[in-house]
Amino acid sequence: MTATLTPVLTAHWDDPDAFRLDAYRRAGGYQALAKALATPPDDIIAMVKESGLRGRGGAGFPTGVKWGFIPQGDGKPHYLVVNADESEPGTCKDIPLMLATPHLLVEGAVIAAYAIRAEHAFIYVRGEVLHVVRRVQQAVAEAYQAGYLGRDILGSGYDLELTVHAGAGAYECGEETALLTSLEGYRGLPRLKPPFPAVAGLYACPTVVNNVESIASVPSIVANGGRWFAGLGTEKSKGYGIFSLSGHVTKPGQYEAPLGITLRELLDLAGGVRAGHRLKFWTPGGSSTPIFTDEHLDVPMDFESTAAAGSMLGTRALQIFDETTCVVRAVLRWNQFYEHESCGKCTPCREGTFWMTLLLDGLERGEGNEEDLEKLLDICDNMNGRVFCPLGDGAISPVVSSIKYFRDEFLEHHKRGGCPFDPAAATLFGDAQ
Amino acid sequence: MPFSDEVRARLDADADQIISRYPRSRSALLSLLHLVQAEEGYVSKDGAAYCADRLGLSETEVAGVVSYYSMYRRRPGGDYNVGVCTNTLCAIMGGDQILASLSEHLGVGPDETTPDGMVTLQHVECNAACDYAPVVMVNWEFYDNMTPDSARGLVDELRAGEKPVPSRGPARLCTWREAARVLAGFPDGQAGDGPAAGPATLAGLMLARENGWTAPEPAAKGDPAGSGQ
C-alpha cells in the first residue's frame, strides 16, 4: 500500500495569512485552549500521557511523563521553556512551523504551562532566523491582546506570562540544560543530570523544557483526544511527525506523516533521488544520528526500528546524498561543525573533535592511512558516554558509521593521493557556474 | 568613549523594559547585548560595560558571555552580514562554491569586511533551511536556493545601496543594527510581510491536497477520550 500523508501541524501552512491570529482562529485555533482551561491540569497531563507523544526534539522522552515529574504543591515557581533553538544540521521543521503558524506554538505553550502549573513560560528562539523571531513576537503580542495570555486567561483565573527570548548563536544551547544556563544569562554550558530540570531547572526551580513540535502537537491532542493521537504511528512510536527531506531529492521539503513511514515511501512521495542518480547515504535524524545507506530504505522511521538498525530517529531530518557525494568530505565538514560548537567543558569532546578534524582533513587530502581510521575509532571510543551532553556523542556518530559502511572510500583517498570526487557534480547547479 | 547622557537615557528606557521581562535580571544579559549591538553595530567595551553596570556584573563576567556567542561582533563590521551556509548539506549542494566565489568577487575572506563598509562575509553553520539548500543569510534573513551567480548579484545590489527582498522575509531588508534591535525584543512592524511558507515548506501539504489525504477524523462526540481510527 502506498503511504499517505497526514497533515495536522502543517494543515494550514498554505493559507497566506496562516501566521495571523484571525486566520488561526478561523482554522479552529485556541478552541483547544478553552477546552483545556475547563479541564483539571492533571487530566491534561493524563491525556498527553495517553497520547504516547514522545519528545520531537530528538531524544524521544514521553512528554506527558516529563510533565508528570513536576512536583506539585511544592511552593516553588514552575517554568515552561520551549526549545525553539533549532540548529541540528539537517533539521528544518520548527523554523517553518513558527514562520507559518506561530499561534499553534503559543496555544500549545499556554496549555502545557497550565498543565504543569507554571506562571511564566519562555520561548527560547534561535537568534539567527530574524523573520521567525518577528512572527513569534507578533503572535505573542496578539495572544496577550486577545486574552490568551496575561491575567485571568479566558476568565479561568489562570495567569501566565510568556517571554520571547532570542538566542545569540550557539548550537550547544539546543541541549536542555545548556539552554537553561543560557537563559539565566551565562555562557551556555550543560549541567550534570541528575538533578533533571523537572526538579532543578531554570533558577533551580521545577522546569519543563519541550521542543517546538512537541508543544505544537498538544492542541490537537487536547482537541481530539489522546487515543486519537495514539491511533496513528506504531505501537511504541505514536502519532504523526514532520519529516524533513533535503539534499539530492527531487522535491525537498516538509512531509507530515505517521511515525513508522520508511525512506522508500518518503522518497516515493518526494519524486525520488534527483534524476539520473542513486542513493548513497542519508541521515535519519540529523548529523548526530549515525548515517544509513541504501540498505536501510525499508527501516520504519520510528524510535525502535531506527535504533535496532544502528541509528536513531532524532529529528526526522533526512539529508539525502547521492553517489556524487564524497562521504569523507561530508564527515569532515560535520566534524568541523562539532569542533566549532563544542563548548569546551568536557575534555573528551573539546580535544576529540579537534584531533578528529586534523585526521579527517588529512584523510580527505589523501594523506591519511588505515592507521588513522583506527585512531579515529579510538578517539570516538574515548568520547562515547564520557561527556556531559549529547554533543560529544553526536559528533562521533557520522565518523563511526561512515567508517563502518565506507571504509574502502576512506582508503581510496589514500591510494589516489586525493579525493576521487568532483565537488561540482554534487551541486544544485552542476558545472554551469 | 562612554555613552553620552542622551544615548544613555535612551538605552536606559529600553534596558528597563528588557529587564522587566525576566524574573531575575541576569537573564536579560543576552537581550541587552543585542541592544548595545543595535546601538553601535558591535559589542564595544563601552557596550559591555553598560550591560555590566545595568545588571550589577563585572565587565569580565560580561566579556565571558560575549565571547561564547557567535552573533555578537567584537569589532565593527559591515551593514550587511552575508553568511553562506557551509555545513555539510549546503556545502555539498554548492555552498562551498558560493563562498569561494563571493570571497573572490568581494576581495575579502571570511570574517572580513569590504572597504566600503557594506558587506561582512561569513561562513555560517546550518541555518535550518536545508530544504532550500544552498542557503545564504543576509542579516539573518533567508535567501534560498542560491548559486554563485545569484549570490554575486545579491552582494552587488547590497553594495549599490539596494535592498534585495529575502525569499521568506520582510519587504524591506534591515541593516545589521536594525536586525539587532528586533533581536533585543523591539519589533520593527515587519512581521506581517512575506509568505507564510515557501514552496519547499509546502511540498508535502500540496501533495496531500492533490490526493485528498487528511489526518483521520476524531471519534464522534460523546466519546471524550476519542476512539482512534
Side-chain angles (χ1 to χ4, degrees):
Chain A
M1 195 187 105
T2 318
T4 60
L5 297 169
T6 50
V8 177
L9 305 175
T10 60
H12 302 291
W13 284 4
D14 57 342
D15 177 347
D17 291 321
F19 53 89
R20 296 180 196 277
L21 177 59
D22 49 357
Y24 185 66
R25 274 197 295 223
R26 270 201 307 278
Y30 287 107
Q31 288 176 13
L33 174 61
K35 182 177 170 186
L37 292 175
T39 307
D42 285 340
D43 291 4
I44 302 290
I45 296 177
M47 200 184 280
V48 174
K49 279 184 185 166
E50 186 190 26
S51 77
L53 172 65
R54 293 170 64 175
R56 296 299 194 231
F61 193 81
T63 304
V65 175
K66 206 180 212 185
W67 294 5
F69 285 155
I70 296 292
Q72 296 300 337
D74 55 343
K76 288 184 181 172
H78 298 171
Y79 297 106
L80 172 73
V81 179
V82 179
N83 183 346
D85 194 32
E86 182 169 67
S87 313
E88 168 73 11
T91 308
C92 49
K93 62 187 179 66
D94 297 340
I95 293 303
L97 189 151
M98 290 186 282
L99 201 58
T101 48
H103 279 287
L104 188 57
L105 178 62
V106 174
E107 183 177 14
V110 183
I111 297 171
Y114 167 76
I116 64 164
R117 278 142 280 194
E119 287 171 18
H120 203 140
F122 298 85
I123 298 176
Y124 187 117
V125 56
R126 185 170 178 185
E128 292 131 317
V129 282
L130 193 62
H131 211 48
V132 173
V133 173
R134 284 193 192 93
R135 289 265 165 93
V136 174
Q137 286 172 341
Q138 174 169 278
V140 168
E142 285 179 327
Y144 266 106
Q145 212 145 33
Y148 301 128
L149 284 169
R151 312 287 295 174
D152 191 21
I153 297 170
L154 298 179
S156 65
Y158 176 59
D159 304 334
L160 180 68
E161 296 298 328
L162 177 56
T163 298
V164 180
H165 176 91
Y171 168 69
E172 175 57 21
C173 294
E175 193 280 328
E176 64 175 4
T177 62
L179 183 143
L180 294 173
T181 313
S182 173
L183 183 53
E184 291 175 356
Y186 295 84
R187 294 166 76 88
L189 305 187
R191 306 172 183 171
L192 192 64
K193 295 191 282 193
F196 288 91
V199 175
L202 187 66
Y203 315 127
C205 291
T207 302
V208 164
V209 184
N210 278 150
N211 166 261
V212 166
E213 192 185 354
S214 309
I215 289 291
S217 300
V218 169
S220 62
I221 292 170
V222 170
N224 300 329
R227 281 162 63 191
W228 165 80
F229 186 89
L232 286 102
T234 66
E235 192 193 338
K236 287 181 177 167
S237 298
K238 297 182 190 305
Y240 48 79
I242 302 173
F243 292 81
S244 308
L245 272 78
S246 62
H248 294 138
V249 55
T250 307
K251 284 195 290 179
Q254 309 301 322
Y255 296 81
E256 189 175 6
L259 301 191
I261 193 169
T262 65
L263 179 63
R264 189 184 299 280
E265 291 167 327
L266 282 163
L267 276 176
D268 195 34
L269 294 168
V273 170
R274 65 176 178 157
H277 295 276
R278 59 186 169 74
L279 179 64
K280 181 174 176 181
F281 64 95
W282 54 292
T283 63
S287 60
S288 301
T289 61
I291 61 169
F292 275 160
T293 68
D294 57 359
E295 292 167 33
H296 303 95
L297 277 161
D298 296 310
V299 174
M301 295 290 292
D302 59 51
F303 292 104
E304 293 71 30
S305 307
T306 48
S311 188
M312 290 185 286
L313 184 62
T315 49
R316 288 150 282 119
L318 300 102
Q319 304 173 87
I320 310 294
F321 300 95
D322 69 22
E323 84 291 348
T324 62
T325 313
C326 174
V327 76
V328 184
R329 176 181 173 214
V331 172
L332 166 64
R333 197 58 62 89
W334 277 322
N335 193 73
Q336 286 171 323
F337 163 75
Y338 291 108
E339 180 198 357
H340 179 257
E341 299 297 335
S342 174
C343 75
K345 178 166 180 161
C346 309
T347 307
C349 174
R350 183 185 67 238
E351 294 296 316
T353 53
F354 171 82
W355 288 105
M356 289 207 296
T357 292
L358 291 186
L359 288 165
L360 286 164
D361 187 47
L363 282 159
E364 202 218 356
R365 285 188 282 108
E367 292 164 13
N369 55 33
E370 193 147 17
E371 258 178 62
D372 290 333
L373 295 185
E374 298 315 312
K375 207 174 288 170
L376 279 171
L377 293 174
D378 190 42
I379 293 172
C380 290
D381 195 39
N382 276 295
M383 286 169 66
N384 192 15
R386 293 186 171 87
V387 285
F388 271 59
C389 87
L391 190 149
D393 294 338
I396 71 172
S397 289
V399 178
V400 174
S401 57
S402 63
I403 294 175
K404 177 176 164 192
Y405 298 119
F406 297 102
R407 178 178 278 263
D408 289 348
E409 191 168 314
F410 281 88
L411 299 178
E412 184 67 16
H413 283 67
H414 176 53
K415 254 187 253 169
R416 291 194 180 218
C419 181
F421 291 87
D422 171 15
T427 64
L428 181 70
F429 38 81
D431 296 313
Q433 314 210 10
Chain B
M1 183 174 29
F3 295 129
S4 67
D5 288 348
E6 182 255 324
V7 170
R8 169 118 198 164
R10 181 157 42 77
L11 287 176
D12 275 345
D14 289 341
D16 288 344
Q17 204 181 317
I18 291 171
I19 293 166
S20 75
R21 295 179 200 142
Y22 298 95
R24 297 194 188 177
S25 66
R26 179 153 182 168
S27 285
L29 180 54
L30 266 58
S31 298
L32 287 180
L33 290 167
H34 285 308
L35 180 73
V36 295
Q37 178 146 277
E39 185 64 32
E40 296 192 285
Y42 71 112
V43 181
S44 68
K45 206 169 177 323
D46 292 330
Y50 174 79
C51 296
D53 180 48
R54 285 302 316 250
L55 299 177
L57 303 172
S58 73
E59 291 180 33
T60 313
E61 282 175 291
V62 173
V65 172
V66 174
S67 67
Y68 184 81
Y69 296 95
S70 57
M71 290 176 74
Y72 300 127
R73 283 181 180 168
R74 283 178 279 168
R75 55 192 165 128
D79 284 348
Y80 298 98
N81 199 79
V82 175
V84 182
C85 178
T86 55
N87 200 299
T88 300
L89 189 113
C90 272
I92 282 168
M93 298 297 284
D96 279 356
Q97 286 85 345
I98 292 172
L99 182 61
S101 169
L102 286 184
S103 186
E104 190 195 345
H105 185 63
L106 295 170
V108 296
D111 294 322
E112 291 176 359
T113 302
T114 52
D116 58 6
M118 293 298 276
V119 170
T120 298
L121 185 64
Q122 262 199 328
H123 83 89
V124 297
E125 296 299 355
C126 184
N127 229 110
C130 316
D131 43 349
Y132 297 96
V135 170
V136 172
M137 306 295 295
V138 179
N139 292 348
W140 313 119
E141 305 286 5
F142 296 109
Y143 292 81
D144 299 334
N145 297 128
M146 297 301 282
T147 67
D149 264 352
S150 64
R152 285 191 301 265
L154 176 68
V155 296
D156 285 347
E157 285 185 53
L158 291 171
R159 297 185 76 189
E162 293 163 36
K163 290 186 177 286
V165 179
S167 309
R168 293 171 288 143
R172 195 190 65 85
L173 178 66
C174 285
T175 63
W176 174 255
R177 289 174 52 186
E178 288 167 343
R181 188 165 171 81
V182 175
L183 294 169
F186 298 97
D188 61 2
Q190 298 203 85
D193 290 356
T201 305
L202 297 175
L205 181 59
M206 292 299 103
L207 196 62
R209 293 249 190 276
E210 283 163 27
N211 291 285
W213 296 333
T214 55
E217 289 295 317
K221 281 180 185 164
D223 176 11
S227 61
Q229 296 174 49

